[in-house]
Amino acid sequence: MSGSKGKVVTDYEKYIRTEELLSLQKSEEDLACQDELTFQMIHQIAELHFKLMIQYIHLADAHMKQNEVEEATDQLRRVNMHLDHLPNVFDMVKVISPKDYHTIRLALGQGSGQDSPGFNEVLRLGPTLWAPCEQLLKTRGLTPLDVHKDPEQHRALFELLQALIRFDENFQSFRHSHIQLVKRMIGLNTQSLKGIPAQALERGVKYEFYPKLWQTISDLTDWTGSSYDTKPLD
């Protein structure tokens, strides 16, 4: 098989669909500035990360509903691997000067990072994992605090809860790192392209997927008696 210029296409190229993939960016002559290619590709890479995360979240949900605790944990660990990597992906945007960044933003029209379909789907799906997790606990007559009181006795469930709270923590950290990027490239004392104050992004960092898990950590502290002026709970 030959490509568009008569070049023989390898099986690798056909499988990865490299010709199609590498045609999804603006051509050199259409770039608003040289670094628009950097901007566009970094955000395309991020959407691919989100696509995998979404698949893993669905699989984790299905495994929990099938009472497959360890399999669900494995999928959540994959999600966390991507969240560990994503801040570094967006760090590459910082090679662009703020002036060129604004040139690119103007080329976006009314486009905004807040419109990312992948990010918004992860944001939507994240909290939905709590219901099947809580059901796993209830069928065993346990609460999150019970699991944390004796993690060795409930090792599989403890690892699942740890993976969930790390997912929540990592997503909050990713949102914070994005705010830092906005602060550096756009500034926080301004308006976004859609007229929403950039400071509005800061409120999202405090959003928790699993508030009951975070409360459990506080409850465990009280139960152990390591809080000031408290006694262990029954």
Side-chain angles (χ1 to χ4, degrees):
M1 179 179 176
S2 299
S4 58
K5 296 182 180 179
K7 173 182 171 290
V8 174
V9 180
T10 66
D11 286 345
Y12 173 88
E13 291 171 294
K14 287 185 284 186
Y15 182 80
I16 302 299
R17 299 169 70 177
T18 54
E19 184 173 0
E20 180 180 353
L21 177 64
L22 299 178
S23 68
L24 296 176
Q25 298 79 39
K26 280 189 172 185
S27 62
E28 287 288 337
E29 56 269 23
D30 291 332
L31 295 175
C33 64
Q34 179 178 304
D35 276 332
E36 187 175 15
L37 182 62
T38 298
F39 180 92
Q40 191 175 39
M41 290 192 70
I42 286 170
H43 286 81
Q44 288 177 342
I45 290 167
E47 292 298 335
L48 293 175
H49 277 282
F50 289 135
K51 183 172 183 176
L52 280 172
M53 288 169 60
I54 290 164
Q55 182 196 37
Y56 301 150
I57 291 170
H58 283 301
L59 289 170
D61 179 74
H63 282 307
M64 283 191 282
K65 289 174 179 175
Q66 293 296 319
N67 200 33
E68 297 166 345
V69 177
E70 293 179 355
E71 290 83 352
T73 302
D74 285 341
Q75 296 301 324
L76 288 168
R77 285 172 176 157
R78 292 185 179 196
V79 172
N80 285 321
M81 287 176 66
H82 286 276
L83 283 172
D84 285 339
H85 189 62
L86 267 173
N88 292 326
V89 171
F90 278 100
D91 265 351
M92 291 186 286
V93 171
K94 296 173 185 177
V95 303
I96 305 171
S97 72
K99 182 177 183 298
D100 283 344
Y101 194 87
H102 288 299
T103 299
I104 296 165
R105 290 180 76 234
L106 291 173
L108 275 170
Q110 293 299 308
S112 168
Q114 296 178 75
D115 297 329
S116 164
F119 171 84
N120 285 317
E121 185 66 358
V122 173
L123 184 62
R124 184 187 72 82
L125 288 173
T128 67
L129 293 179
W130 180 244
C133 178
E134 193 168 41
Q135 186 59 41
L136 283 173
L137 295 170
K138 286 181 177 179
T139 57
R140 292 163 172 77
L142 296 169
T143 67
L145 182 58
D146 293 330
V147 174
H148 277 77
K149 283 180 178 179
D150 195 349
E152 292 303 322
Q153 178 68 27
H154 311 291
R155 174 54 56 181
L157 285 170
F158 176 73
E159 294 295 341
L160 176 63
L161 296 185
Q162 289 292 90
L164 278 170
I165 203 166
R166 186 181 171 208
F167 172 29
D168 199 350
E169 178 184 15
N170 283 348
F171 198 70
Q172 291 176 50
S173 295
F174 168 69
R175 298 184 81 173
H176 176 74
S177 70
H178 186 68
I179 288 176
Q180 292 300 104
L181 176 64
V182 171
K183 182 178 181 180
R184 175 166 171 169
M185 305 305 290
I186 302 173
L188 295 181
N189 297 317
T190 184
Q191 300 288 316
S192 78
L193 286 174
K194 292 192 172 181
I196 301 172
Q199 296 97 318
L201 296 172
E202 295 178 309
R203 292 195 293 270
V205 175
K206 299 179 181 179
Y207 175 68
E208 297 173 352
F209 287 159
Y210 316 115
K212 290 184 179 180
L213 285 184
W214 293 105
Q215 181 58 45
T216 295
I217 303 303
S218 297
D219 293 343
L220 182 69
T221 301
D222 293 339
W223 176 79
T224 62
S226 57
S227 289
Y228 294 110
D229 300 323
T230 62
K231 295 180 181 181
L233 302 177
D234 294 331

